[in-house]
Amino acid sequence: MPTPSPITLQLPEGSSFTDLQLRRCDDDAIDLDMQLVQRICQLNGWDFDKVRADPAPVVSTILTVWYKNHLAQGGAPDAVMEEFRRQGQMLGQPLH
C-alpha cells in the first residue's frame, strides 16, 4: 500500500495560525476568521461558495495541517486545538 503524500496547503504570506482567531462558541461550535479561510481557499484554488455550504471538511483540513506546522515551527499551543486533541474529536463541528 503506497504511503499517502502529505497535504500541501498554501497560506497567505505573513499569516500565522493565531490569525484564524479560533474559538469555541456556547453551543460547542467553533468560530474562526472566515475571511482568512476565504483567502486560503483562493490561494489553493478551492471554491469558497462550496466550502461555505459545507465548511467542516475543508476547515478541518486547514486547521489540522496548519496547526501541525505551527507546532513544528515552535508555535505556542492553541487552547481550542489542544482540547480537540485531548478529546480525540474530529473537527466536524458546526461553524458560525
Side-chain angles (χ1 to χ4, degrees), residues 65-79:
V65 171
W66 198 354
Y67 189 60
K68 183 178 178 180
N69 290 337
H70 167 77
L71 292 177
Q73 295 173 357
D78 177 86

Side-chain angles (χ1 to χ4, degrees), residues 24-87:
R24 281 276 198 170
C25 300
D26 291 337
D27 60 358
D28 277 339
I30 61 171
D31 188 31
L32 68 157
D33 183 343
M34 287 303 285
Q35 289 181 330
L36 182 52
V37 171
Q38 182 176 15
R39 288 177 43 212
I40 293 168
C41 288
Q42 290 170 340
L43 285 171
N44 290 280
W46 302 330
D47 183 336
F48 182 67
D49 290 331
K50 288 182 181 178
V51 170
R52 194 173 37 205
D54 184 18
V58 171
V59 170
S60 176
T61 299
I62 291 170
L63 291 176
T64 302
V65 171
W66 198 354
Y67 189 60
K68 183 178 178 180
N69 290 337
H70 167 77
L71 292 177
Q73 295 173 357
D78 177 86
V80 174
M81 290 300 291
E82 291 302 315
E83 181 183 345
F84 284 133
R85 289 172 88 180
R86 278 191 303 277
Q87 295 174 352

